[in-house]
Each structure stands twice: as C-alpha cells, then as structure tokens.
Amino acid sequence: MKRRFLALCMCPLAFVLAWLPLVPASAGSARGPANIDVSQRNLNESEEAIAVNPTNPSNIVIVTNVGHREAGLKAGMFEAVSFDGGSTWTTKLIGLGAGDVLGDACCDPTLSFDEFGNLFMSYLYQVENTVPVALSTDGGLTFNVIARIAAPPGNTPTKSSSDNRGLFRFVDQPTITAAKGEVWVIFNAGGPMFATGAPVTGFDQVGSFFAGEVVPGTNNCTYGDIAIGPLGQVMQVCTLTESGQGGGKLFVNVDPDGLGSAGFGTRVFVAETHVGGFDFIPPQPDRSVDAEPGLAWDRTGGAHNGRVYLGYTKEVQNESDNTDIFVRYSDDGGATWSGGVRVNDDATKNSQFLPKISLDPTSGNLAIVWYDSRLDLGAGGAGDTNGLPNDDAQVWGAFSTDGGATFTTNIQISAGTSNSHDSGNGIDYGDYDGLSFYGGVAHPAWSDNSNSTGDNPDGALHQLDIYTAAVKVSR
C-alpha cells in the first residue's frame, strides 16, 4: 500500500450506506477492448484486487483502496461485484470501522477464489497489529473475518490510531491465494516475510490457520507474491531492496509440502531488477515503483504442468527511467530459472511498470498487464496529455500460449490516457493493479483518470476511478 503517507478521499453518504446497482457506459477502442468505469466515484480509488469465481465465471469481484481520509471517514475500501461477467456491477464501501464485520479496513486488499467457490480476502487494518483473513460464500456480497494473523514475537511494530500507514511502518502488501485444498497468506512482519495457511475441504469448510512461520533469509525482503503448485507446494517471491533507487534482487523460497511439516527452504536468487524499492519514474513521480514481482503456477495437468512463472519490472541501469516487463519460468520447483523474456514490444525508452501476471487454469495460457508510457513522447496527440514525455500512461497487456517462451503483440487495453500526478492521490496509481484470467478471458482492473468512458464524476485528468475490461486471449 504505502511507503509514505496515504492521501484518501470522501464519498457520498448514500454510497456508504447501501449497494448501488451500476450500469456502466462502455467505450471501445480501436486498439483494444471496451472499457468500463466500475467505481464512478468522486475522488480517488487505487490498488486493485480482482478475482473470477471458477465455479461461476460470471461472478467477478473487485476490491480497492479509497481516499477515505479526505472524506472524514476513519476507514474503508471500495468493493464491486458482478454476476454477469463484468457488464454490470453493484458497489459499496466495506470495512468502515465500528459496527462493520470487517472492522477498520485501511487498504491493500488481496483476493482469491478457490476451486470450491470460496472467496478469500486479506487487507490491512487501520489500527490493529494483525492481518485479517475474511471469507465470502455468496460471491463477494458479504464477508466474515475468519482469522486475524499476528506477527511473530519480536517482530510486532506498533502504531497509533493517528498513524495512517497501515499495519507496518515500512513494508506491507499482504497476499492471499487459495487452491489445492489450502489457503495461504503472506506479509512482511516489520522485517521478515511471515506466512501461514489453513486447510480447505470444501465450500465453506475452512480449518484453522497454523501458527505461521518466518520465511528464511527474507529480512527486509518485501513487495512480493505467493503461489500454490500442483502438489500443494507453496512458493513465495520477494524483493530484497536497497534504500533509495537502484539495486533490487528477487528471491524465492519454497515449502515443498504446503501444510505439511517441512516449512520453507533456503532462499534462491532469481534475478536483478535495478529497480530497488523506491524508484521514482516520471509516470509515478509521487509514489515511486518497486519491481512488483508476481507468481503464477501451472496446475492444469497440461503440457506445462508444474511450471511456475515470475513476472517483474526491470530497469536499464543508471536511473534511465527505461523500465521493462520481464517473465521467467522454472520447471524444477524454483531451483533454477529460465532467462528473462521481455514482454513489452515497444521500441521506446519510456517506462513500463507495475505488472500483474495470471494463469488461466482452464488452458495453462498466461496473461500479463502493466501500466505503459510508450505513447507519451511529449509531442502531443494520443498518449500525451501535457507536452511532457514519459509521464502519462495507458494499460497494456499480452498473452503467452506457449509456456512463456513468447508473448503476443501487445494490446492497448485502456482506451484513454491517464496522468497519475494530476489525480492528487499522493500514491499515484498505487503499488499494484489487478488481473484474473479464466476461460480464455483476462479481466484486468486498473486506476484511470482519462475519463474515456465519460462517466468519471471528477472529469478527465483529475481523480482516479477503477476501470476494467474483458480481454479475450489472442494467438
């Protein structure tokens, strides 16, 4: 969520009190799919989680940060639920504090449906020093907190009620994932990565989370992801950063038997990123970016069953602002990795950043999306809002149908061009965007102030709304 102070926003009281059915205006693009403004709220929303229900792919859920501080609210996140494949949405604020079953939600939502149709969510509290896990059994319409995960002894940071940085002082981003009869959550516990899991035996049948374990060699390693393999094994990736810009190394640890007794093994180095943890680039000038590594593990039983993929950002050295999106894969459970494949196919030296990777469990195909400044050459026209180069962005994406060896010609997904600094959000687009890929259709979620659909109440190039699209796999 936040490496520094988070600016937050207000919403109308009626919006807070009830679900609102949303029938969106859609805008097509010659370059990509129809876009939908899901939130249509005043002020900012950012940092999106999205999940598709494998037992009912028409059921899609999005949860994001909101700017509640500017509204005078003490807590809250934005949620949108669709039961028609993303054509229409119902929306509300959740985690509003006293009297809300989710408590005082601060930020950093993460979502995962499992094979039974259980929807798991984690996030950060505004005040409490625990990480909640919530469960929905009605497709995201309601949640109940089923666990509150405490950091290990000696690694519990403290914070006051006026501290708006979420649970941890310097690091954050809990991640939840569920598959193969287990659910796992991982977060940085004020130093090391800390993970725990629970068995899942069926719909609404979730066991207790075990006490948790510190992942070896992960002190000050953060901004990562967690994935479950075809045998129930678990892998985490995190970024070992350097203070300021530059540096940055990606490491993985593997627990070979998931909920068994083995625990996570020694860390394995994967790649240099040159991004560090605080790389300020023109399209993300207030917040900065990290490498934002993401994992996707093939459990399909197909040609690449057992292959695990890692997507991330890499910068040309010497603070060039020339950042690119790469994917590597491992066929031996993370012991060794392929060379990096550059996904973005532009010929510019502009920035690509905040990638999100997802694997279609029905086919084994990959989708990856990211923010992209390739069209902003500072010469006016499409892709440039202000005559300055490399500070505007769209959302682009690509597919791989050959196990990550190659990627398709890139697709411009967002119909309009956004400028995050113009939003006044304080954290620009945030630390991450969202993507869920199922049944040949990728569903990204991103922050957008282009007003390409004409229904952002703040107008163009002001506050950020949450957009999505349905992107069919291309070969």
Side-chain angles (χ1 to χ4, degrees):
M1 186 273 300
K2 44 206 160 204
R3 293 184 278 273
R4 52 167 78 189
F5 181 81
L6 173 63
L8 296 167
C9 76
M10 69 183 296
C11 67
L13 180 60
F15 187 94
V16 175
L17 294 178
W19 285 99
L20 296 180
L22 175 62
V23 181
S26 297
S29 168
R31 296 176 179 269
N35 288 188
I36 295 173
D37 184 344
V38 175
S39 59
Q40 297 182 29
R41 293 182 65 245
N42 289 113
L43 305 179
N44 288 296
E45 301 88 49
S46 58
E47 297 190 349
E48 306 79 21
I50 185 170
V52 175
N53 187 346
T55 68
N56 176 14
S58 294
N59 177 202
I60 308 170
V61 180
I62 297 173
V63 180
T64 80
N65 291 353
V66 296
H68 55 74
R69 199 174 186 94
E70 293 177 22
L73 299 173
K74 295 182 179 180
M77 299 184 297
F78 168 82
E79 184 188 14
V81 178
S82 176
F83 287 97
D84 58 10
S87 295
T88 62
W89 299 82
T90 53
T91 64
K92 68 175 180 179
L93 292 187
I94 59 176
L96 293 171
D100 193 308
V101 295
L102 295 176
D104 56 327
C106 162
C107 40
D108 280 19
T110 172
L111 294 170
S112 182
F113 272 108
D114 70 6
E115 64 268 35
F116 304 114
N118 298 304
L119 176 59
F120 296 93
M121 177 173 67
S122 188
Y123 52 99
L124 296 182
Y125 281 130
Q126 187 72 18
V127 176
E128 295 91 331
N129 286 320
T130 58
V131 172
V133 176
L135 171 66
S136 175
T137 56
D138 56 10
L141 293 176
T142 62
F143 285 90
N144 285 298
V145 174
I146 60 172
R148 294 176 176 85
I149 312 301
N155 290 96
T156 305
T158 59
K159 64 195 293 291
S160 68
S161 60
S162 62
D163 186 342
N164 198 48
R165 291 170 295 181
L167 178 60
F168 305 116
R169 292 184 63 85
F170 304 113
V171 289
D172 42 22
Q173 284 193 28
T175 303
I176 201 163
T177 190
K180 301 297 293 186
E182 51 191 308
V183 56
W184 282 79
V185 64
I186 191 167
F187 53 92
N188 188 290
M193 300 300 290
F194 186 69
T196 183
V200 184
T201 56
F203 183 68
D204 198 18
Q205 300 296 312
V206 184
S208 299
F209 284 80
F210 71 91
E213 59 183 301
V214 172
V215 181
T218 61
N219 199 45
N220 297 321
C221 196
T222 189
Y223 309 129
D225 199 7
I226 192 166
I228 299 172
L231 302 177
Q233 65 272 53
V234 179
M235 178 183 294
Q236 79 87 32
V237 62
C238 58
T239 305
L240 189 64
T241 63
E242 296 179 6
S243 59
Q245 305 187 91
K249 297 179 180 180
L250 302 182
F251 292 91
V252 299
N253 301 74
V254 176
D255 183 329
D257 63 354
L259 294 174
S261 60
F264 282 94
T266 303
R267 74 184 190 187
V268 175
F269 169 73
V270 180
E272 298 266 5
T273 70
H274 312 305
V275 174
F278 303 90
D279 208 304
F280 293 89
I281 58 176
Q284 187 98 329
D286 303 308
R287 179 60 167 172
S288 77
V289 297
D290 61 86
E292 202 55 29
L295 295 170
W297 212 327
D298 191 328
R299 302 183 298 268
T300 63
H304 301 293
N305 186 61
R307 177 170 290 185
V308 60
Y309 302 90
L310 171 61
Y312 62 98
T313 307
K314 180 180 179 180
E315 184 179 35
V316 175
Q317 290 173 271
N318 302 320
E319 294 310 309
S320 62
D321 297 329
N322 181 8
T323 53
D324 297 306
I325 308 303
F326 280 81
V327 169
R328 295 173 183 256
Y329 61 82
S330 172
D331 288 323
D332 56 11
T336 62
W337 292 82
S338 70
V341 176
R342 184 177 184 259
V343 179
N344 53 291
D345 59 8
D346 64 300
T348 75
K349 295 183 179 181
N350 285 10
S351 301
Q352 286 80 31
F353 56 102
L354 300 185
K356 184 67 72 173
I357 192 168
S358 183
L359 186 141
D360 184 346
T362 69
S363 66
N365 291 331
L366 281 178
I368 188 166
V369 299
W370 62 91
Y371 292 98
D372 195 311
S373 298
R374 70 177 70 188
L375 297 182
D376 185 11
L377 303 179
D384 179 22
T385 68
N386 55 13
L388 301 174
N390 196 35
D391 70 336
D392 301 308
Q394 304 90 29
V395 170
W396 288 66
F399 296 97
S400 177
T401 61
D402 59 5
T406 63
F407 285 83
T408 60
T409 300
N410 295 176
I411 304 162
Q412 183 181 332
I413 296 172
S414 61
T417 297
S418 295
N419 185 292
S420 68
H421 185 69
D422 287 346
S423 71
N425 195 28
I427 60 168
D428 298 313
Y429 300 111
D431 288 342
Y432 57 91
D433 51 349
L435 177 64
S436 188
F437 187 20
Y438 188 89
V441 181
H443 295 273
W446 70 93
S447 297
D448 190 306
N449 66 355
S450 69
N451 198 27
S452 63
T453 53
D455 47 13
N456 183 336
D458 296 302
L461 300 177
H462 291 291
Q463 282 68 38
L464 296 159
D465 275 4
I466 302 303
Y467 275 59
T468 191
V471 189
K472 293 183 178 180
V473 65
S474 58
R475 300 179 185 275

